[in-house]
Amino acid sequence: MTTTAPASLTAAELSAIRDDFPLLERTVRGGRPLVYLDSAATSQKPECVTDAEQDFYLRRNAAVHRGAHQLAEEATEAYERARAAVAGLVGVGTGEIVWTKNATEAINLVAYAMSNATLGRGGEAAAALRLGPGDEIVVTEAEHHANLVPWQELCARTGATLRWLGVTDEGRIDVGTLGVINERTRLVAFAHASNVTGAIAPVTQIVAAARAVGALVLLDACQSVPHLPVDLRALDVDFAAFSGHKMLGPTGIGVLYGRADLLAAMPPFLTGGSMVEVVTMESTTYAPPPQRFEAGTQMVAQTVGLNAAADYLAELGMPALAAHEAELTEHLVRGVAGIDGVRVLGPTDATDRLAVVAFDVAGVHPHDVGQILDDAGIAIRVGHHCAQPVHRRLGVHASARASASIYTTHDEIETFLEHLAGVRSFFGLGGSRG
Amino acid sequence: MADAMEQLYQQVILDHAREKHGFGLAPGAAGESFQVNPTCGDEVRLRVHLAEGTAAPVIERVSWEGLGCSISQASLSVLSDLVAGADVTRADQLTETFRALMAGRGQPLDAEREDLLGDAGAFVGVAKYPARIKCALLGWMALRDALAHALTEPSTVTPD
């Protein structure tokens, strides 16, 4: 816990960061400078990430964990070094990081491991992961579909019951519903920060409630790891999932963190080559974690790219980046909330909140909002952002969403706000900045 | 606002999006279809009402309800005007012509087909934006599906 606010980025530092992202210099829609406010969907990539991937392919490419030649050694070393870099960024042990193709696969890995444990796989060691009728899994109403549908499916396969914490009118997890977590709860899965409301979850309270009843905790850290200092050990979660592409890294690489003793007890999800010890025609013994969960040829170049992204974030310093983004959050939330006819779907104060701001423009469908902004070179997200239930909860069908990252400037937010203020009048409705 | 947006959101489109001809589900339909656009969650329920006493099936009118952007709502409104009184052949012809317009990357159709489409020709600008083509086609997909139900499953009429 920090007691003094860390220094934000200076103008020169921010400018230097932007120089690392060639895409930010491009123009769109007939020469308009790009204003990229869709980083919650995917971040842009600094050149060091693409350089690292290219260097790997051009000079060190080989399959990992097999082969006795020098290239295989170098590729394996790069692959494992990346694991250490990512583990270091989130404060866990290197052997507790499992590579997946994305965060969705990371969550499914846990769900299917529990499913397999329920079928008896993993033996008595995995007994704590078994589920059955009477057991409950708890999520929240604010989850991304990736942290909801796998649990619905797991419940359907095992007879367990899915329950959820509610969401308040302002889009925060309703701690008044923590009573949903009870002695039947076996797992609590929730997002560290919502990809719709931007609200940061009351992790300490939820984890305490889960611990009090002996439930496991899985944290969807997709939105938090790219924007905040995250120490998974300090947060005391058992599992966490996040994606490479949202944290300046490549697509095709996701991360599962699992507490060492849990990973050791878990039966595998995907099976095949690379994850075995002894294979006979009758049966197979499995490698220890993390290899047990990394079947088949791995996405080595992507891990190397993600290593570069993790190093880049660590060198700039997550506290300084988070301080910059906190200022952007304030600007974005206040600005959007200050426009007549525009409602913020999420907290309107910048406390415990990320620069992810979904909003509803009265009388104008989100698609039309996005179209008008796109014409001005401003890239935002429209639709339900893979989170239909929280939209339903907040009384809308879909929304528009602006989201910032470390490279976003106040000028960009100002440009966005100016054009957003003109949307309703384009469609013959009133509206101006208050 | 820039010219590109004036071309996309032509006045006739904005008017239809507001007026929504055919809006409000009516009883007594011969066929119904529910369509969603999974990328944005937009949805429409559309009913085909057939005229009575005609030798070959004729669409008396369509009725619909839905949630969606101005493009999808205006497209449904225009569709409602165009297919009222059309026989099945003409409805198919209108659907195919509108699909051709959407596949044209913003190029207008020949004069004959433009005439056929009437107000629907205003959607020419939509075809320049691949993400929006589905919005414009949502209602037409519902029409085709509802019509197929109406012609093959006459027993599934909605209650009066």
Side-chain angles (χ1 to χ4, degrees):
Chain A
M1 195 73 76
T2 49
T3 46
T4 53
S8 177
L9 301 173
T10 65
E13 285 168 336
L14 180 55
S15 173
I17 287 173
R18 289 181 67 84
D19 287 345
D20 293 331
F21 293 80
L23 185 140
L24 298 177
E25 292 165 20
R26 68 164 285 184
T27 59
V28 292
R29 298 287 182 221
R32 293 176 182 82
L34 171 70
V35 173
Y36 186 74
L37 291 175
D38 198 16
S39 290
T42 197
S43 69
Q44 296 305 339
K45 321 301 175 196
E47 248 174 323
C48 63
V49 167
T50 56
D51 284 351
E53 269 204 70
Q54 175 168 296
D55 177 70
F56 175 79
Y57 275 129
L58 296 181
R59 297 184 179 83
R60 289 179 291 158
N61 180 50
V64 298
H65 288 301
R66 63 188 83 170
H69 50 79
Q70 184 179 340
L71 282 181
E73 275 175 23
E74 290 182 14
T76 303
E77 195 185 316
Y79 181 71
E80 293 303 328
R81 195 166 51 234
R83 201 190 302 274
V86 170
L89 188 71
V90 294
V92 300
T94 302
E96 296 177 308
I97 294 293
V98 176
W99 299 127
T100 59
K101 81 166 184 283
N102 51 33
T104 299
E105 185 185 298
I107 293 169
N108 274 277
L109 193 162
V110 176
Y112 275 92
M114 294 180 78
S115 197
N116 291 341
T118 303
L119 294 168
R121 304 302 297 156
E124 280 311 301
L129 298 166
R130 292 177 193 159
L131 290 174
D135 290 333
E136 295 178 359
I137 292 176
V138 172
V139 295
T140 84
E141 212 176 353
E143 296 311 306
H144 188 284
H145 297 161
N147 199 31
L148 170 60
V149 183
W151 307 120
Q152 289 176 343
E153 285 292 315
L154 178 61
C155 287
R157 290 195 299 274
T158 60
T161 301
L162 186 72
R163 302 188 65 185
W164 52 89
L165 304 179
V167 168
T168 65
D169 289 344
E170 72 155 0
R172 292 195 189 273
I173 293 170
D174 184 355
V175 293
T177 63
L178 278 173
V180 166
I181 299 171
N182 65 60
E183 70 283 353
R184 294 183 298 277
T185 307
R186 304 295 307 286
L187 174 80
V188 180
F190 66 100
H192 196 178
S194 163
N195 71 313
V196 175
T197 68
I200 296 172
V203 180
T204 309
Q205 281 174 275
I206 296 175
V207 171
R211 291 291 173 242
V213 296
L216 295 170
V217 176
L218 180 142
L219 189 71
D220 170 358
C222 284
Q223 295 295 337
S224 57
V225 168
H227 306 287
L228 298 171
V230 173
D231 184 333
L232 293 174
R233 193 84 77 205
L235 293 175
D236 189 30
V237 296
D238 300 295
F239 298 105
F242 51 99
S243 50
H245 73 97
K246 290 194 206 295
M247 54 180 287
L248 316 183
T251 52
I253 181 77
V255 179
L256 172 70
Y257 155 72
R259 225 177 60 209
D261 60 311
L262 282 167
L263 288 183
M266 268 164 58
F269 163 40
L270 299 174
T271 57
S274 300
M275 47 77 71
V276 300
E277 284 176 343
V278 179
V279 180
T280 67
M281 288 312 293
E282 291 76 26
S283 64
T284 296
T285 60
Y286 299 115
Q291 275 74 32
R292 185 187 303 163
F293 306 103
E294 296 175 356
T297 300
Q298 292 297 296
M299 58 304 258
V300 191
Q302 286 92 326
T303 67
V304 171
L306 185 56
N307 187 347
D311 287 350
Y312 184 82
L313 289 169
E315 276 166 31
L316 290 169
M318 289 309 299
L321 297 176
H324 169 58
E325 290 198 41
E327 292 169 1
L328 296 174
T329 303
E330 182 91 26
H331 190 173
L332 196 52
V333 173
R334 281 185 184 222
V336 173
I339 298 173
D340 287 344
V342 178
R343 173 166 79 108
V344 172
L345 302 171
T348 49
D349 65 289
T351 318
D352 289 331
R353 192 194 202 298
L354 294 180
V356 174
V357 180
F359 53 92
D360 180 53
V361 179
V364 186
H365 189 276
H367 252 184
D368 296 318
V369 175
Q371 190 84 54
I372 297 297
L373 294 174
D374 167 67
D375 191 60
I378 302 161
I380 63 161
R381 175 82 185 261
V382 299
H384 48 59
H385 325 312
C386 299
Q388 291 179 19
V390 74
H391 278 89
R392 215 167 279 127
R393 168 64 185 85
L394 297 175
V396 293
H397 197 66
S399 67
R401 180 189 72 187
S403 57
S405 187
I406 65 165
Y407 41 69
T408 304
T409 67
H410 288 283
D411 285 349
E412 288 181 303
I413 290 176
E414 204 49 35
T415 301
F416 158 70
L417 293 172
E418 279 167 22
H419 283 89
L420 178 59
V423 166
R424 294 190 81 237
S425 62
F426 178 83
F427 289 100
L429 305 160
S432 63
R433 289 182 75 177
Chain B
M1 215 50 79
D3 290 347
M5 289 301 96
E6 307 279 355
Q7 275 173 27
L8 174 63
Y9 293 108
Q10 293 187 28
Q11 195 57 45
V12 61
I13 291 180
L14 296 180
D15 289 345
H16 272 286
R18 226 178 344 260
E19 292 165 15
K20 298 185 184 181
H21 300 171
F23 191 87
L25 290 174
E32 178 179 293
S33 174
F34 179 71
Q35 298 285 325
V36 296
N37 181 350
T39 57
C40 56
D42 287 356
E43 58 189 48
V44 63
R45 187 178 300 281
L46 181 143
R47 290 179 179 173
V48 168
H49 305 262
L50 296 180
E52 284 177 22
T54 57
V58 169
I59 298 171
E60 184 185 25
R61 64 182 178 122
V62 299
S63 66
W64 61 275
E65 281 180 12
L67 291 166
C69 63
S70 59
I71 301 295
S72 74
Q73 303 297 286
S75 187
L76 276 152
S77 176
V78 170
L79 175 158
S80 301
D81 288 352
L82 281 176
V83 303
D87 61 19
V88 174
T89 307
R90 183 171 167 83
D92 283 346
Q93 194 184 9
L94 284 163
T95 303
E96 283 314 308
T97 309
F98 192 76
R99 292 181 82 92
L101 184 73
M102 289 301 101
R105 296 176 179 276
Q107 294 304 310
L109 300 173
D110 55 72
E112 189 186 340
R113 290 192 293 174
E114 285 274 299
D115 284 350
L116 182 71
L117 284 183
D119 278 359
F123 289 81
V124 61
V126 175
K128 287 183 196 161
Y129 298 95
R132 304 306 297 278
I133 292 172
K134 272 188 186 172
C135 310
L137 285 176
L138 190 67
W140 292 92
M141 287 163 59
L143 172 68
R144 184 140 83 181
D145 188 46
L147 199 51
H149 284 295
L151 299 176
T152 58
E153 303 162 34
S155 61
T156 60
V157 291
T158 57
D160 285 312

